[in-house]
């Protein structure tokens, strides 16, 4: 029946006739429902495009798909990095470098404390907070004592070293080599009173939220870390 | 296992942990020619799943074989384009 629809459209005036004639004959609810259905389908048939119109539409859509895929031959990932503690500096860098290995075009937009990851000097001294994380080996009340952040950071740094886990600097260098684009939020640079020279070579400065939105809109994977 | 193909080059990433085995494998395979086979030696147990997943999701590479030894995990990747 369905495949006949385009043909039915050509004889839509004839199709309309019986449907309208059926409706008044309906005496119970079921018949009325059938009549409504019949009437709807014949209306649809009346409005259904012809084969030629469908063929033209298919061609139009095929062109649109071809244009869309031609424009999007590379996979993209966009990450927004907002945190600057030692533990939270890792995920965006690990995911960025790995995605680059998969062939993704990766941008990481660093804003607020996330900017410290790109700061050549500060990135080597990122701290681990000793409070606020119940998985820490010290109770929060002890963690809040002066100097405890330094203790927990040293513990973490030792673990990183013992385990041969890459350092933040190594991950940044590797990511840059792999073609990852690191962007430093200009508003945060001004806010923190940083200088453009404070960042690793290859970091993009002078970018704002609109750049991030553009990257996010084009990306296959978007992450806020 | 390795007699089905000739190893062009060996990459030693023993000691390195995530994400370095995958990242360095990618860099090393980029240096090879089409058809070449890279042998990757890793101690990271996660490399078994990671290199498998990376090869499946990356164009131009094919995972030929993986072998989990006592301490060393071996991976054989061919560059296909």
């Amino acid at each position: 029946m369905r495949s006949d629809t385009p043909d039915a459209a050509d004889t839509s005036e004839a199709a309309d006739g019986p449907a309208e004639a059926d409706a008044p004959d309906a005496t119970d609810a079921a018949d009325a429902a059938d009549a409504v259905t019949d009437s709807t389908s014949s209306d649809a048939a009346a409005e259904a495009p012809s084969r030629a119109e469908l063929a033209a539409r298919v061609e139009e859509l095929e062109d649109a798909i071809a244009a869309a895929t031609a424009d999007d031959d590379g996979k993209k990932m966009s990450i927004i990095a907002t945190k600057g503690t030692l533990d939270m500096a890792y995920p965006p860098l690990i995911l960025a470098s790995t995605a680059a290995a998969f062939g993704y075009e990766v941008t990481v937009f660093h804003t607020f404390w996330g900017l410290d990851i790109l700061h050549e000097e500060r990135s080597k001294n990122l701290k681990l907070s000793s409070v606020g994380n119940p998985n820490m080996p010290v109770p929060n009340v002890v963690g809040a004592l002066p100097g405890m952040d330094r203790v927990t950071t040293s513990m973490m740094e030792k673990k990183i070293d013992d385990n041969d886990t890459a350092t933040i600097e190594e991950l940044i260098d590797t990511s840059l080599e792999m073609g990852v684009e690191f962007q430093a939020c200009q508003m945060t640079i001004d806010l923190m009173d940083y200088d453009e020279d404070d960042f690793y070579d290859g970091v993009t400065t002078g970018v704002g939220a609109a750049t991030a939105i553009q990257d996010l809109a084009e990306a296959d994977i978007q992450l806020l870390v | 296992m390795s007699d089905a193909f000739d190893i062009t080059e060996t990459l030693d990433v023993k000691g390195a942990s995530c994400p370095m085995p995958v990242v360095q494998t990618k860099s090393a395979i980029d240096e090879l020619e089409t058809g070449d086979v890279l042998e990757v030696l890793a101690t990271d147990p996660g490399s078994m799943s990671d290199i498998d997943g990376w090869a499946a999701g990356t164009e131009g590479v094919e995972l030929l074989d993986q072998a989990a030894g006592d301490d060393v995990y071996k991976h054989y990747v061919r560059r296909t384009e």
Side-chain angles (χ1 to χ4, degrees), chain A residues 75 98 101-102 164-165 174 178, chain B residues 15 17 19-20 23 26 54 57-58:
Chain A
K75 301 174 285 185
T98 305
F102 271 76
D164 276 326
T165 302
T174 303
M178 307 279 299
Chain B
S17 59
M20 289 311 185
V23 168
K26 162 69 176 171
W54 166 77
T58 305

Side-chain angles (χ1 to χ4, degrees), chain B residues 31-47:
Chain B
E31 299 294 314
L32 299 182
E33 306 285 328
T34 301
D36 287 354
V37 175
L38 179 72
E39 178 185 49
V40 182
L41 306 177
T43 48
D44 173 18
S47 66

Side-chain angles (χ1 to χ4, degrees), chain A residues 43-189:
Chain A
D43 280 355
E47 287 162 18
S50 69
R51 274 179 195 278
E53 281 169 336
L54 283 172
R57 183 73 185 132
V58 166
E59 203 171 304
E60 201 177 296
L61 289 171
E62 278 173 354
D63 287 350
I65 291 167
T69 48
D71 200 34
D72 188 33
D73 50 353
K75 301 174 285 185
K76 291 183 181 177
M77 177 158 95
S78 173
I79 301 176
I80 311 295
T82 65
K83 305 274 193 269
T85 52
L86 181 59
D87 50 330
M88 290 305 283
Y90 274 92
L93 299 179
I94 290 175
L95 293 170
S97 54
T98 305
F102 271 76
Y104 280 77
E105 192 182 306
V106 184
T107 58
V108 192
F109 183 84
H110 292 250
T111 185
F112 279 80
W113 305 112
L115 194 54
D116 282 354
I117 302 170
L118 301 182
H119 193 284
E120 202 163 355
E121 203 179 309
R122 295 182 67 90
S123 69
K124 290 163 189 158
N125 296 298
L126 298 179
K127 301 278 188 294
L128 186 68
S129 177
S130 56
V131 294
N133 182 353
N135 292 328
M136 278 292 176
V138 291
N140 274 339
V141 67
V142 176
L145 294 172
M148 278 309 289
D149 281 348
R150 209 164 53 234
V151 173
T152 49
T153 300
S154 300
M155 280 166 49
M156 190 72 195
E157 281 171 344
K158 187 174 183 307
K159 273 183 174 295
I160 287 168
D161 196 42
D162 289 350
N163 211 38
D164 276 326
T165 302
T167 64
I168 294 300
E169 191 181 3
E170 282 166 356
L171 283 172
I172 288 185
D173 287 345
T174 303
S175 299
L176 284 167
E177 279 169 28
M178 307 279 299
V180 172
E181 183 183 349
F182 288 112
Q183 302 173 335
C185 168
Q186 190 60 42
M187 182 272 281
T188 315
I189 295 176

Side-chain angles (χ1 to χ4, degrees), chain B residues 36-68:
Chain B
D36 287 354
V37 175
L38 179 72
E39 178 185 49
V40 182
L41 306 177
T43 48
D44 173 18
S47 66
M48 291 299 280
S49 170
D50 278 1
I51 289 184
D52 184 19
W54 166 77
T58 305
E59 283 176 31
V61 296
E62 178 193 3
L63 182 63
L64 300 172
D65 198 12
Q66 286 183 302

